[in-house]
Amino acid sequence: METAIRDSEGQAPLYGYFEHAYGRYDQPNDALYLKRASSNSIFRGVDRVKVILSLLTWPQKQGGAGLPLEKLLATKLVRAAFPLHDGDELCNLLKKKWLVYWAWPWDQPFDRVKDYFGEKVGLYFVFLSHYTTFLLYASVVGVGVYAHSAVDVRRENAPSVPFFCVFMSLWTTTFLEFWKRKQARYAMVWGMAGFEEEEKDRPEFADDRATVMIHSPVDGEEVTYFPPDIRARRVVVSSLVTGVAILAVCVAVYSIFFLDIFLSRPSIDGRLDPTRVVWKRLPSFKLKGTIIGLASTVQILIMENLYFAVAKALNDYENHRSETQYEDALIAKTFIFTFVNAYASFVYTAFIRRVQTNEPNAGWPANNRRRLFRCRDEGNCMAELQTQLSTIFLSRVLISNLKEVLVPYYFWARRLRRRQDMDDAIRKHRRRRRRRQQQQKRRRSASSKTTPPFTKKKE
């Protein structure tokens, strides 16, 4: 009976399952121990950075320099500490394989990215590849459903819409389960399995006033200890602050819809037409939905930036032991708030506002006045929801590309221009200095020709 472990996923095609359990390091032609052309070493660039960092930060008893770099960064005594780029490795080995005009999302040099930037950055781009690949399937089905609903007279009640809802539910589950498999596989292949068990404490954890030193009940060694009751109280305080922030988002969203009510007044609604505001040859449509969408975008961005600073302060207040625990807690806070902040207006438009519109009198006087919460299409809020969704989506895509592409490119171009101006100034200074030296040399040679030679008088 065959009981050997087989490589069913094809992750190790070069060697069999029985090979290289132990290997010698004096085999120069072995693919496992080939030296890298950029450094003439078997170590990657990120490995060399980690070795240098460990030599700087390890205690002097273990052969290190004992430099408390993380504590210096936390106390702002050191502004930043980072390794410099290796130009040869970055340009010759990474850019030629990565920065190309066309490549499928699953055909990316993840190992090269991991070897240069580290496993954390490499896993981030693995996730982007996985996410983009699954979005391709969802986009194909979504375009088909959109085309069918566009030609169907029933629009949002088209039979393809419930099918798409079921498909997206299955897509979400499949996406998550396949990502769990891929994440575990890459963590094992890249040697990151069990990383959290060996992770060191954050320097801020020991600096907290509530942290004490105790003897471990397991081995008697002296370890840092943070009382769990204090941690529980701090988590409760953080949860209350997050709840207040979410309530503030709900109030802001509701205020934006009061702006919608104000813009729905006949005296103002008639003026919100591009043919009257911008140019009379533009097609006639109402700008109210676009204005509400832009206002929601501004509200989302402002609340997001404000809460991120609050979430970071709350995370510091909770005093997590390791960097992984710190990041997990920060992600949880940010995700919960961002979910409410980004989708509260959509939920209100799609569900709550429709209920307010269809209720008899909806709490307003029973007369012939127009109901304030009525949607544009006689109680059907899907049209306004579509306008808000498209406006917010396009605005956020534009702003994110502006922040991540155009703004860094502007500062990079400005630094490059300053460097060129500095180089030009240095070259001009050198030319002027060379010209002065040549002029002085010509003057000395001319003066030596006109002055008679010195003759010694005979005695």
Side-chain angles (χ1 to χ4, degrees):
M1 180 178 176
E2 184 67 30
T3 58
I5 298 176
R6 296 293 184 180
D7 181 26
S8 59
E9 299 293 335
Q11 296 296 317
L14 296 178
Y15 307 100
Y17 60 89
F18 55 87
E19 295 180 306
H20 293 291
Y22 300 95
R24 299 174 60 184
Y25 288 88
D26 57 355
Q27 301 175 8
N29 297 324
D30 198 325
L32 289 175
Y33 313 124
L34 286 179
K35 294 184 178 181
R36 302 179 182 272
S38 60
S39 61
N40 195 26
S41 171
I42 63 174
F43 295 105
R44 308 170 299 167
V46 66
D47 293 330
R48 299 194 299 272
V49 171
K50 291 179 180 178
V51 170
I52 295 174
L53 183 61
S54 63
L55 290 176
L56 291 174
T57 57
W58 276 15
Q60 296 181 357
K61 297 180 180 179
Q62 301 179 6
L67 180 66
L69 187 59
E70 294 183 355
K71 187 175 295 185
L72 294 175
L73 290 171
T75 55
K76 306 299 182 182
L77 294 177
V78 175
R79 294 185 61 183
F82 52 87
L84 299 178
H85 278 295
D86 187 344
D88 296 335
E89 186 174 359
L90 183 62
C91 296
N92 299 330
L93 300 180
L94 191 58
K95 283 187 176 180
K96 293 181 180 179
K97 300 292 184 180
W98 197 20
L99 299 182
V100 294
Y101 288 105
W102 173 258
W104 291 106
W106 56 82
D107 188 21
Q108 302 293 327
F110 300 120
D111 290 331
R112 291 177 180 266
V113 176
K114 177 259 302 183
D115 291 341
Y116 186 81
F117 292 103
E119 290 78 9
K120 188 175 181 179
V121 177
L123 191 63
Y124 168 75
F125 284 102
V126 171
F127 173 77
L128 286 185
S129 169
H130 179 77
Y131 184 46
T132 308
T133 302
F134 268 76
L135 283 178
L136 292 177
Y137 306 131
S139 63
V140 172
V141 179
V143 169
V145 172
Y146 180 79
H148 179 265
S149 61
V151 299
D152 198 313
V153 294
R154 291 168 291 184
R155 296 288 181 175
E156 67 273 2
N157 295 323
S160 58
V161 175
F163 162 76
F164 185 68
C165 296
V166 175
F167 170 79
M168 289 305 298
S169 300
L170 297 176
W171 178 90
T172 304
T173 304
T174 307
F175 164 78
L176 183 60
E177 295 302 324
F178 272 83
W179 168 244
K180 290 179 181 178
R181 294 178 58 187
K182 180 175 289 188
Q183 179 187 16
R185 186 183 302 123
Y186 271 94
M188 181 64 67
V189 172
W190 289 352
M192 301 305 294
F195 167 76
E196 297 181 8
E197 299 175 359
E198 302 176 359
E199 198 171 6
K200 296 182 179 180
D201 295 347
R202 298 170 57 245
E204 296 85 356
F205 177 77
D207 292 341
D208 194 279
R209 292 180 296 178
T211 303
V212 295
M213 302 297 296
I214 65 170
H215 293 282
S216 173
V218 178
D219 53 8
E221 294 291 334
E222 194 175 35
V223 295
T224 54
Y225 175 77
F226 190 72
D229 55 340
I230 298 180
R231 179 183 300 278
R233 288 198 297 268
R234 294 187 178 185
V235 170
V236 170
V237 172
S238 298
S239 302
L240 291 176
V241 174
T242 303
V244 171
I246 292 175
L247 182 61
V249 169
C250 297
V251 172
V253 170
Y254 209 69
S255 302
I256 290 176
F257 281 97
F258 273 101
L259 174 64
D260 188 8
I261 295 173
F262 175 76
L263 296 179
S264 299
R265 298 173 60 183
S267 59
I268 298 178
D269 189 30
R271 302 176 184 176
L272 298 178
D273 195 316
T275 59
R276 301 182 60 180
V277 178
V278 183
W279 190 30
K280 63 181 180 179
R281 294 186 180 182
L282 290 175
S284 178
F285 64 93
K286 300 301 181 181
L287 291 175
K288 186 186 71 172
T290 304
I291 294 174
I292 298 301
L294 292 175
S296 299
T297 303
V298 173
Q299 171 258 320
I300 290 172
L301 294 175
I302 292 176
M303 298 296 291
E304 190 176 278
N305 292 328
L306 290 177
Y307 181 76
F308 183 77
V310 174
K312 192 174 182 305
L314 293 176
N315 235 36
D316 296 336
Y317 175 69
E318 291 176 2
N319 193 30
H320 297 277
R321 178 181 290 273
S322 64
E323 192 68 29
T324 301
Q325 295 176 355
Y326 182 88
E327 293 179 354
D328 291 344
L330 183 60
I331 290 172
K333 293 183 183 65
T334 307
F335 174 79
I336 295 173
F337 178 83
T338 304
F339 178 80
V340 178
N341 188 38
Y343 295 104
S345 60
F346 302 147
V347 172
Y348 176 78
T349 302
F351 301 103
I352 302 177
R353 193 173 184 182
R354 174 177 293 186
V355 173
Q356 290 178 334
T357 300
N358 294 331
E359 283 184 356
N361 298 330
W364 304 100
N367 51 26
N368 294 327
R369 288 192 305 171
R370 182 174 178 269
R371 291 176 183 167
L372 296 180
F373 289 97
R374 181 178 293 279
C375 293
R376 179 176 56 192
D377 193 13
E378 292 299 327
N380 186 3
C381 299
M382 292 297 105
E384 291 195 9
L385 179 63
Q386 182 179 3
T387 303
Q388 292 176 20
L389 180 61
S390 59
T391 304
I392 292 176
F393 176 76
L394 294 176
S395 301
R396 298 205 65 174
V397 169
L398 179 63
I399 293 174
S400 63
N401 282 277
L402 182 67
K403 291 170 57 179
E404 298 176 4
V405 179
L406 294 181
V407 173
Y409 177 79
Y410 167 75
F411 285 106
W412 172 80
R414 191 174 69 171
R415 287 196 301 267
L416 183 62
R417 181 63 181 270
R418 288 181 177 178
R419 188 179 303 172
Q420 292 176 351
D421 294 341
M422 187 178 299
D423 294 339
D424 293 341
I426 293 175
R427 283 194 293 267
K428 290 180 181 179
H429 175 72
R430 289 177 178 174
R431 285 197 297 266
R432 287 196 298 266
R433 186 176 62 181
R434 194 180 304 114
R435 192 179 301 113
R436 287 196 300 267
Q437 291 176 353
Q438 292 175 356
Q439 291 175 356
Q440 292 175 1
K441 186 176 180 180
R442 286 196 294 268
R443 291 195 198 99
R444 286 195 298 266
S445 61
S447 62
S448 61
K449 291 179 181 179
T450 55
T451 304
F454 176 76
T455 56
K456 186 177 181 180
K457 184 184 293 185
K458 294 182 179 180
E459 294 180 357

